[in-house]
Amino acid sequence: MSSQAVAIVDDDASVRRALTRLLQSAEFRVLTYSSATEFLDTGIASAPGCLILDIHLGGMSGLELLSRLRELGHNLPILIITAHDDTQAREAAARGGCVAYLRKPLDAKMLLEEVGTAMKRAA
C-alpha cells in the first residue's frame, strides 16, 4: 500500500463512501472531504498522492479548486469526475493540468487504473 493517500472531494456522501470502498479494496489509503473549502483547510497538509475531484460542489466548484491549487503551486495529480460533462469544463480541466476527466457513473476498473497511474506519477 502506498504511504500517500488518495483524497476525494465530493459533496455527495454516497459517492465518497462508494469511492472509498472501491479504493480501499485496491489497498489505497483514502481521505475524504465534502467541500473544496474543507480540502483547502485540511487536505493539503496531508499531502495526498492524488486528488479525485468532482466538478459540481456546493460553494467553490471543483474547477475553482483546481485553479486555486495550481495558483498555490500544488502540482498533485488531479482526476476530475462529473455527471454533467460539457466542452467548457473539459477544456478548463485540461488547462488546469488534470490527469484524467471521467464521467459518472464511473467505470471502476478505469478509475483504479487512472488512480494507479496518478500515484506512480506522484511518487
Side-chain angles (χ1 to χ4, degrees):
M1 184 183 323
S2 171
S3 62
Q4 288 186 307
V6 177
I8 300 167
V9 179
D10 196 305
D11 58 354
D12 185 329
S14 64
V15 171
R16 289 193 310 272
R17 278 192 305 273
L19 289 175
T20 296
R21 282 193 300 266
L22 174 65
L23 292 163
Q24 287 177 338
S25 75
E27 300 194 9
F28 288 106
R29 193 166 58 90
V30 180
L31 303 168
T32 63
Y33 306 91
S34 61
S35 70
T37 302
E38 182 184 4
F39 178 77
L40 285 172
D41 289 347
T42 60
I44 293 173
S46 69
C50 78
L51 173 62
I52 298 174
L53 177 59
D54 188 25
I55 287 181
H56 297 284
L57 301 168
M60 181 187 300
S61 77
L63 292 175
E64 290 170 326
L65 176 57
L66 172 64
S67 177
R68 178 85 173 131
L69 289 170
R70 298 309 187 225
E71 287 170 8
L72 293 170
H74 295 283
N75 291 316
L76 73 148
I78 298 176
L79 292 77
I80 296 288
I81 59 174
T82 185
H84 308 284
D85 187 22
D86 68 66
T87 304
Q88 288 180 331
R90 187 178 289 270
E91 290 171 357
R95 281 192 307 274
C98 77
V99 298
Y101 186 95
L102 307 170
R103 289 206 53 194
K104 294 177 185 176
L106 299 168
D107 176 292
K109 182 179 178 189
M110 181 181 294
L111 178 70
L112 290 174
E113 288 173 4
E114 294 289 355
V115 168
T117 300
M119 295 295 275
K120 287 176 189 163
R121 179 177 165 206

